[in-house]
């Protein structure tokens, strides 16, 4: 099989897989969710933007993800194969400082419920969005993913930050996927020599 044939076979296989994709974006009405929606609707010819998939955008009016029953119902309704998890109880500096416990509890519940529903639904992958606020207050720059657990986040947003940090372990334990800062190790592929026949 020549390179051209292999490429065409790979493209056909990718198109078949992409046709079956149902990507649920939680927090779809937020800033990042709207950005994703803009990309996938304004560039339909661009397969790299994921337009071979069915995109489903869920906002807070579609269900309260702090409640397990609402979250399970949302996943049952949309039946996603993949999830981009953006939903969170977010706020500015003053909200984070005034409602530390509520920010922690709400976001822990949202994260736990989304992961549980994705696992029950049989989702292939969950990508969870994190924030730079998860990094330790006292750290060296530039920062990278290996530094997340090297200290406590800044006290002004610790409830929100800790809820994001804690999504990595249940995600790993459920074997759904890895959060952004838990990277999968790439497997080495054996190279095969093939010649193109004329």
């Amino acid at each position: 099989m020549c390179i051209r044939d292999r490429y065409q076979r790979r493209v056909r296989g990718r198109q078949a897989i992409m046709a079956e994709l149902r990507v649920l974006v939680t927090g779809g009405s937020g800033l990042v969710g709207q950005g994703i929606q803009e990309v996938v609707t304004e560039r339909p010819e661009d397969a790299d933007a994921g337009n071979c998939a069915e995109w489903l955008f869920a906002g807070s009016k579609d269900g309260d993800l702090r409640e397990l029953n609402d979250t399970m119902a949302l996943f049952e309704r949309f039946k996603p194969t993949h999830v981009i998890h953006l939903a969170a109880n977010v706020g500015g500096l003053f909200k984070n400082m005034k409602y530390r416990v509520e920010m922690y509890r709400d976001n822990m519940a949202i994260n736990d419920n989304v992961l549980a529903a994705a696992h029950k639904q049989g989702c292939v992958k969950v990508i969870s969005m994190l924030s730079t606020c998860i990094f330790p207050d006292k750290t060296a720059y530039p920062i990278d993913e290996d530094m997340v657990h090297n200290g406590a986040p800044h006290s002004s947003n610790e409830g929100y930050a800790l809820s994001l940090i804690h999504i990595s372990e249940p995600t790993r334990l459920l074997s759904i996927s890895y959060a952004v800062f838990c990277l999968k190790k790439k497997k080495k592929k054996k190279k095969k020599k093939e010649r193109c026949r004329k």
Side-chain angles (χ1 to χ4, degrees):
M1 182 182 298
C2 71
I3 293 172
R4 182 186 62 230
D5 293 339
R6 283 191 315 211
Y7 173 76
Q8 289 174 345
R9 185 178 186 189
R10 188 172 29 178
V11 167
R12 282 192 304 270
R14 183 172 181 229
Q15 288 170 340
I17 291 167
M18 296 293 279
E20 300 170 9
L21 289 180
R22 294 176 56 86
V23 182
L24 172 62
V25 180
T26 64
S29 60
L31 179 69
V32 178
Q34 288 179 351
I36 293 172
Q37 191 168 11
E38 185 177 313
V39 169
V40 298
T41 56
E42 290 186 7
R43 296 191 338 215
E45 73 286 348
D46 187 357
D48 289 337
N51 287 295
C52 295
E54 181 180 359
W55 287 85
L56 312 159
F57 294 86
S60 56
K61 62 182 172 233
D62 295 302
D64 185 352
L65 298 181
R66 295 172 297 181
E67 300 295 329
L68 182 59
N69 290 337
D70 281 12
T71 309
M72 291 294 184
L74 181 80
F75 274 70
E76 184 59 35
R77 186 168 72 234
F78 288 129
K79 298 188 184 326
T81 59
H82 294 71
V83 177
I84 298 177
H85 176 39
L86 308 174
N89 178 0
V90 296
L93 178 63
F94 293 110
K95 182 178 179 183
N96 283 330
M97 290 191 319
K98 185 175 181 180
Y99 300 105
R100 294 169 199 247
V101 174
E102 293 82 355
M103 297 295 280
Y104 178 77
R105 286 183 176 158
D106 285 353
N107 287 300
M108 286 294 290
I110 290 168
N111 294 339
D112 190 48
N113 292 341
V114 166
L115 292 176
H119 181 69
K120 183 176 181 185
Q121 186 66 35
C123 293
V124 176
K125 183 170 282 206
V126 174
I127 298 172
S128 299
M129 185 172 149
L130 303 178
S131 169
T132 56
C133 75
I134 66 175
F135 289 97
D137 182 28
K138 309 291 185 213
T139 191
Y141 289 88
I143 54 178
D144 73 24
E145 296 86 0
D146 295 328
M147 302 165 87
V148 170
H149 298 287
N150 290 352
H154 192 273
S155 61
S156 65
N157 59 14
E158 63 188 336
Y160 176 65
L162 289 171
S163 70
L164 293 179
I165 291 169
H166 292 154
I167 196 172
S168 66
E169 288 309 305
T171 303
R172 184 184 62 77
L173 293 171
L174 285 168
S175 300
I176 296 171
S177 181
Y178 292 91
V180 175
F181 57 87
C182 296
L183 303 175
K184 290 183 180 180
K185 293 183 179 178
K186 293 183 179 180
K187 294 180 182 178
K188 293 182 180 178
K189 294 182 180 179
K190 293 181 182 178
K191 293 183 178 179
K192 292 183 181 179
K193 292 184 179 180
E194 294 183 10
R195 295 189 177 183
C196 192
R197 295 182 185 173
K198 293 184 180 181

